[in-house]
Amino acid sequence: MQKVTCTTCGSENKVNHKYCFNCGYELPKVVVEEVQDNTIELIHKRKKRRNLIIGLVVAFTVIGLMSATVLSMQKIIKPLFTGKILETAVSEVNKGCPMMIDQYTRLDSASVISDNSLQYNYTLINTELSEINQDTVKKYLFPEIINNVKTSPEMKVYRDLKTTFIYSYRDKNGLAILKFPVTPDMYQ
Protein backbone atom coordinates (compact mmCIF):
# COMPACT_ATOMS: atom_id res chain seq x y z
CA MET A 1 0.00 0.00 0.00
CA GLN A 2 1.21 3.53 -0.78
CA LYS A 3 2.39 5.79 2.01
CA VAL A 4 2.54 9.56 2.31
CA THR A 5 5.29 11.26 4.33
CA CYS A 6 4.36 14.02 6.78
CA THR A 7 6.13 17.28 5.88
CA THR A 8 6.27 18.30 9.56
CA CYS A 9 7.63 15.24 11.39
CA GLY A 10 8.65 12.91 8.53
CA SER A 11 6.43 10.02 9.68
CA GLU A 12 4.93 7.73 7.09
CA ASN A 13 1.14 7.67 6.97
CA LYS A 14 -1.42 5.79 4.91
CA VAL A 15 -2.49 7.59 1.73
CA ASN A 16 -6.13 7.83 2.80
CA HIS A 17 -5.30 9.66 6.10
CA LYS A 18 -5.92 13.39 6.25
CA TYR A 19 -3.74 14.11 9.35
CA CYS A 20 -0.43 12.67 10.50
CA PHE A 21 -0.93 9.92 13.12
CA ASN A 22 2.29 11.06 14.90
CA CYS A 23 2.12 14.88 15.07
CA GLY A 24 -1.47 15.60 13.97
CA TYR A 25 -0.54 18.05 11.24
CA GLU A 26 -2.40 17.96 7.96
CA LEU A 27 -0.82 15.72 5.34
CA PRO A 28 -0.19 16.98 1.79
CA LYS A 29 -3.23 16.31 -0.39
CA VAL A 30 -1.74 16.96 -3.81
CA VAL A 31 0.26 13.75 -3.95
CA VAL A 32 -2.71 11.61 -2.96
CA GLU A 33 -5.11 13.25 -5.43
CA GLU A 34 -2.61 13.08 -8.31
CA VAL A 35 -2.01 9.38 -7.74
CA GLN A 36 -5.74 8.68 -7.59
CA ASP A 37 -6.50 10.88 -10.65
CA ASN A 38 -3.73 9.25 -12.70
CA THR A 39 -4.92 5.77 -11.75
CA ILE A 40 -8.56 6.58 -12.59
CA GLU A 41 -7.51 8.22 -15.88
CA LEU A 42 -5.40 5.18 -16.80
CA ILE A 43 -8.32 2.87 -16.02
CA HIS A 44 -10.65 4.97 -18.22
CA LYS A 45 -8.13 4.98 -21.09
CA ARG A 46 -7.77 1.20 -20.89
CA LYS A 47 -11.57 0.75 -20.87
CA LYS A 48 -11.95 3.06 -23.88
CA ARG A 49 -9.22 1.20 -25.81
CA ARG A 50 -10.75 -2.18 -24.92
CA ASN A 51 -14.24 -0.98 -25.96
CA LEU A 52 -12.85 0.41 -29.23
CA ILE A 53 -11.14 -2.90 -30.03
CA ILE A 54 -14.28 -4.87 -29.18
CA GLY A 55 -16.36 -2.47 -31.30
CA LEU A 56 -14.02 -2.85 -34.27
CA VAL A 57 -14.02 -6.65 -33.98
CA VAL A 58 -17.83 -6.69 -33.83
CA ALA A 59 -18.11 -4.24 -36.76
CA PHE A 60 -15.75 -6.26 -38.97
CA THR A 61 -17.55 -9.47 -38.05
CA VAL A 62 -20.93 -7.96 -38.92
CA ILE A 63 -19.59 -6.54 -42.21
CA GLY A 64 -18.09 -9.93 -43.07
CA LEU A 65 -21.35 -11.72 -42.33
CA MET A 66 -23.33 -9.17 -44.34
CA SER A 67 -20.97 -9.55 -47.32
CA ALA A 68 -21.24 -13.32 -47.18
CA THR A 69 -25.04 -13.04 -46.99
CA VAL A 70 -25.19 -10.67 -49.96
CA LEU A 71 -22.99 -12.97 -52.04
CA SER A 72 -25.13 -15.97 -51.10
CA MET A 73 -28.30 -14.07 -51.99
CA GLN A 74 -26.83 -13.06 -55.36
CA LYS A 75 -26.09 -16.71 -56.11
CA ILE A 76 -29.72 -17.54 -55.34
CA ILE A 77 -31.48 -14.51 -56.82
CA LYS A 78 -29.51 -14.09 -60.07
CA PRO A 79 -30.50 -17.48 -61.52
CA LEU A 80 -34.13 -16.85 -60.52
CA PHE A 81 -34.03 -13.41 -62.11
CA THR A 82 -32.29 -14.75 -65.24
CA GLY A 83 -34.72 -17.66 -65.48
CA LYS A 84 -37.70 -15.29 -65.25
CA ILE A 85 -36.31 -13.08 -68.04
CA LEU A 86 -35.69 -16.11 -70.27
CA GLU A 87 -39.11 -17.62 -69.56
CA THR A 88 -40.78 -14.31 -70.42
CA ALA A 89 -38.80 -14.02 -73.66
CA VAL A 90 -39.64 -17.59 -74.68
CA SER A 91 -43.31 -17.00 -73.93
CA GLU A 92 -43.35 -13.90 -76.16
CA VAL A 93 -41.55 -15.67 -79.02
CA ASN A 94 -43.82 -18.69 -78.81
CA LYS A 95 -46.94 -16.51 -79.04
CA GLY A 96 -46.00 -15.76 -82.65
CA CYS A 97 -44.82 -19.26 -83.59
CA PRO A 98 -44.65 -20.81 -85.99
CA MET A 99 -43.41 -17.81 -87.98
CA MET A 100 -41.62 -17.55 -91.28
CA ILE A 101 -38.18 -15.96 -90.99
CA ASP A 102 -37.58 -16.00 -94.74
CA GLN A 103 -38.83 -18.10 -97.68
CA TYR A 104 -36.76 -21.11 -96.52
CA THR A 105 -36.78 -20.92 -92.74
CA ARG A 106 -39.56 -21.20 -90.17
CA LEU A 107 -39.13 -20.57 -86.46
CA ASP A 108 -41.19 -23.27 -84.77
CA SER A 109 -40.58 -22.50 -81.11
CA ALA A 110 -38.17 -21.36 -78.45
CA SER A 111 -37.43 -22.93 -75.09
CA VAL A 112 -35.35 -22.46 -71.98
CA ILE A 113 -32.89 -25.34 -71.86
CA SER A 114 -31.12 -24.62 -68.57
CA ASP A 115 -30.67 -21.78 -66.08
CA ASN A 116 -29.16 -19.55 -68.73
CA SER A 117 -29.63 -21.18 -72.14
CA LEU A 118 -32.20 -20.47 -74.84
CA GLN A 119 -32.91 -22.78 -77.74
CA TYR A 120 -34.50 -21.68 -81.01
CA ASN A 121 -36.03 -24.48 -83.08
CA TYR A 122 -36.10 -23.90 -86.84
CA THR A 123 -37.31 -25.91 -89.79
CA LEU A 124 -35.87 -25.56 -93.30
CA ILE A 125 -39.24 -26.07 -94.98
CA ASN A 126 -38.08 -26.87 -98.53
CA THR A 127 -35.07 -28.99 -97.68
CA GLU A 128 -34.39 -32.61 -96.82
CA LEU A 129 -31.48 -33.81 -94.71
CA SER A 130 -29.90 -35.57 -97.71
CA GLU A 131 -29.70 -32.24 -99.56
CA ILE A 132 -27.76 -30.48 -96.81
CA ASN A 133 -24.01 -30.02 -96.74
CA GLN A 134 -23.41 -29.27 -93.05
CA ASP A 135 -20.00 -27.71 -93.68
CA THR A 136 -21.53 -25.22 -96.11
CA VAL A 137 -24.31 -24.37 -93.65
CA LYS A 138 -21.74 -23.82 -90.88
CA LYS A 139 -19.54 -21.72 -93.15
CA TYR A 140 -22.28 -19.29 -94.24
CA LEU A 141 -25.02 -19.41 -91.63
CA PHE A 142 -23.17 -19.49 -88.34
CA PRO A 143 -21.04 -16.34 -88.82
CA GLU A 144 -24.28 -14.44 -89.49
CA ILE A 145 -25.91 -15.91 -86.39
CA ILE A 146 -22.93 -14.97 -84.22
CA ASN A 147 -22.86 -11.47 -85.71
CA ASN A 148 -26.58 -11.07 -85.00
CA VAL A 149 -26.12 -12.12 -81.36
CA LYS A 150 -23.13 -9.71 -81.02
CA THR A 151 -24.80 -6.67 -82.54
CA SER A 152 -28.55 -6.91 -82.19
CA PRO A 153 -29.92 -4.36 -79.68
CA GLU A 154 -32.70 -6.81 -78.76
CA MET A 155 -30.07 -9.35 -77.67
CA LYS A 156 -28.22 -6.96 -75.31
CA VAL A 157 -30.11 -8.04 -72.21
CA TYR A 158 -29.19 -11.66 -72.95
CA ARG A 159 -25.57 -10.76 -73.69
CA ASP A 160 -25.44 -8.99 -70.31
CA LEU A 161 -26.77 -12.15 -68.66
CA LYS A 162 -24.16 -14.22 -70.55
CA THR A 163 -26.85 -16.40 -72.07
CA THR A 164 -25.99 -19.35 -74.31
CA PHE A 165 -28.10 -19.51 -77.48
CA ILE A 166 -28.71 -22.83 -79.18
CA TYR A 167 -29.90 -22.79 -82.78
CA SER A 168 -31.45 -26.11 -83.74
CA TYR A 169 -32.33 -26.88 -87.37
CA ARG A 170 -34.52 -29.66 -88.79
CA ASP A 171 -35.40 -30.56 -92.32
CA LYS A 172 -38.91 -30.46 -93.79
CA ASN A 173 -39.52 -34.00 -92.46
CA GLY A 174 -38.53 -33.09 -88.90
CA LEU A 175 -35.11 -34.78 -89.03
CA ALA A 176 -32.33 -33.05 -87.14
CA ILE A 177 -29.86 -31.30 -89.42
CA LEU A 178 -27.62 -29.66 -86.84
CA LYS A 179 -27.51 -27.79 -83.58
CA PHE A 180 -25.26 -24.77 -83.14
CA PRO A 181 -24.56 -23.29 -79.69
CA VAL A 182 -23.48 -19.65 -79.41
CA THR A 183 -21.73 -19.26 -76.07
CA PRO A 184 -20.79 -16.00 -74.30
CA ASP A 185 -17.12 -16.39 -75.25
CA MET A 186 -18.18 -16.41 -78.92
CA TYR A 187 -20.08 -13.10 -78.82
CA GLN A 188 -18.20 -11.01 -76.25
Side-chain angles (χ1 to χ4, degrees), residues 19-85:
Y19 300 98
C20 177
F21 76 92
N22 187 37
C23 67
Y25 279 95
E26 188 173 356
L27 295 170
K29 296 178 186 177
V30 177
V31 174
V32 174
E33 290 174 4
E34 281 181 11
V35 169
Q36 288 178 345
D37 286 347
N38 288 341
T39 303
I40 290 170
E41 187 176 319
L42 183 61
I43 290 170
H44 285 300
K45 282 183 181 179
R46 286 182 181 163
K47 282 183 180 179
K48 284 181 182 179
R49 188 178 306 134
R50 184 190 71 220
N51 289 343
L52 177 64
I53 292 170
I54 291 171
L56 288 172
V57 168
V58 169
F60 285 122
T61 302
V62 168
I63 289 169
L65 290 173
M66 287 173 56
S67 297
T69 303
V70 167
L71 290 174
S72 296
M73 292 304 292
Q74 285 178 341
K75 288 178 183 177
I76 294 167
I77 292 172
K78 186 177 179 187
L80 294 174
F81 176 72
T82 301
K84 185 66 176 166
I85 289 174

Side-chain angles (χ1 to χ4, degrees), residues 86 89 154-163 165 187:
L86 298 182
E154 294 85 17
M155 300 294 250
K156 182 181 182 333
V157 67
Y158 307 109
R159 288 192 302 264
D160 292 345
L161 293 172
K162 297 184 177 11
T163 301
F165 303 92
Y187 60 77

Side-chain angles (χ1 to χ4, degrees), residues 56-170:
L56 288 172
V57 168
V58 169
F60 285 122
T61 302
V62 168
I63 289 169
L65 290 173
M66 287 173 56
S67 297
T69 303
V70 167
L71 290 174
S72 296
M73 292 304 292
Q74 285 178 341
K75 288 178 183 177
I76 294 167
I77 292 172
K78 186 177 179 187
L80 294 174
F81 176 72
T82 301
K84 185 66 176 166
I85 289 174
L86 298 182
E87 288 291 338
T88 302
V90 162
S91 176
E92 289 300 311
V93 168
N94 286 335
K95 284 180 186 177
C97 286
M99 81 171 75
M100 294 302 295
I101 302 301
D102 57 33
Q103 64 184 8
Y104 310 106
T105 313
R106 180 182 68 217
L107 175 61
D108 297 319
S109 66
S111 56
V112 177
I113 299 300
S114 67
D115 290 343
N116 201 10
S117 295
L118 285 176
Q119 180 168 312
Y120 296 103
N121 302 303
Y122 294 96
T123 298
L124 300 176
I125 60 170
N126 298 321
T127 310
E128 288 188 7
L129 179 59
S130 61
E131 301 170 344
I132 299 288
N133 180 335
Q134 289 189 358
D135 291 333
T136 303
V137 171
K138 287 179 186 177
K139 181 178 177 180
Y140 294 105
L141 183 61
F142 294 152
E144 288 201 27
I145 290 172
I146 292 171
N147 186 53
N148 182 54
V149 172
K150 280 183 180 181
T151 60
S152 172
E154 294 85 17
M155 300 294 250
K156 182 181 182 333
V157 67
Y158 307 109
R159 288 192 302 264
D160 292 345
L161 293 172
K162 297 184 177 11
T163 301
T164 295
F165 303 92
I166 301 166
Y167 293 86
S168 176
Y169 290 88
R170 297 189 175 275

